[in-house]
Amino acid sequence: MALGYVRPARPEDAGEIARIQLATWRVAYRRILPRHVLDNLDEAFLARRWSAAVLEPPSGAHRVLVAVEQAEQSYLVGFAASGPADGEALAPGEPADALGSDVAAVTDLLVEPRWGRRGHGSRLLAATVDLWREDGMSRAVAWAFDADEATRKFLTSTGWEPDGAARALDVDDMLVPQVRLHVGVPTEKVPADEEPAG
């Protein structure tokens, strides 16, 4: 198990979060999304969006956390972003109030591939769940690409299950199927030694 920890993102982390997002998408989604779309993603644009997410979140329950690997130097190796479920969490045709005000939504949960399988994903998810519990959330949802076996396997290994909702994202005239997963937020903190490795 790697030495590492999770902390809230700081404004100066935005560039590194964007780099991690870009590097991870280009590896993990290279067979899922069109190559030209991945090649044309603008790291500076992503950094500006992450800076805004950290500095001006829509609410106090919208958070960005980062995972840090500790070695001779410390490295940002992953991040998670979540907040109360909104329209982006809904399935096509689902009513606006279908998820309820006590449902959280994961918008991003990424660990750079070269730092994978060292517990960072599990730490990010556990810290996020702790914050949901503090916010009074009872359930959480997350969309995953149907072909993204790694993300679906990680989430299901931690108790998430498909909830039957599906959608297809239009990515430059290519429809990319997604499935929605959900999990109940435990009312008590899970001891660290019972958390699944990830």
Side-chain angles (χ1 to χ4, degrees):
M1 178 74 59
L3 291 175
Y5 61 92
V6 171
R7 63 166 172 78
R10 302 170 185 146
E12 61 268 24
D13 296 330
E16 193 63 2
I17 292 170
R19 186 198 62 74
I20 291 167
Q21 181 178 17
L22 204 51
T24 303
W25 281 22
R26 286 180 174 160
V27 171
Y29 300 154
R30 70 182 183 274
R31 291 189 175 94
I32 298 173
L33 300 176
R35 181 176 178 160
H36 69 276
V37 170
L38 294 173
D39 288 346
N40 291 323
L41 288 171
D42 181 6
E43 191 170 330
F45 170 76
L46 293 174
R48 287 191 298 275
R49 290 188 63 199
W50 285 115
S51 180
V54 172
L55 286 169
E56 302 167 0
S59 78
H62 286 82
R63 298 182 178 94
V64 181
L65 302 177
V66 293
V68 179
E69 168 97 4
Q70 287 181 289
E72 289 181 18
Q73 295 182 2
S74 293
Y75 305 93
L76 253 59
V77 297
F79 65 95
S82 70
D86 59 14
E88 294 295 314
L90 295 172
E94 214 168 25
D97 60 352
L99 294 177
S101 61
D102 63 342
V103 178
V106 175
T107 54
D108 290 280
L109 177 59
L110 297 173
V111 174
E112 192 174 356
R114 64 187 170 133
W115 299 104
R117 305 185 86 51
R118 297 168 68 85
H120 297 299
S122 293
R123 280 189 286 276
L124 280 165
L125 190 56
T128 300
V129 170
D130 288 345
L131 292 170
W132 293 338
R133 186 181 310 104
E134 290 174 16
D135 291 337
M137 300 296 181
S138 67
R139 194 164 66 96
V141 295
W143 287 99
F145 290 117
D146 192 44
D148 183 1
E149 291 182 24
T151 296
R152 288 189 297 108
K153 184 177 178 181
F154 170 68
L155 289 174
T156 56
S157 76
T158 62
W160 293 66
E161 297 177 332
D163 70 0
R167 68 184 182 188
L169 294 184
D170 185 346
V171 182
D172 201 29
D173 293 329
M174 176 180 167
L175 293 178
V176 185
Q178 289 188 311
V179 294
R180 190 173 66 194
L181 295 97
H182 72 129
V183 71
V185 175
T187 55
E188 295 181 11
K189 185 172 180 170
V190 177
D193 60 349
E194 294 180 26
E195 290 173 10

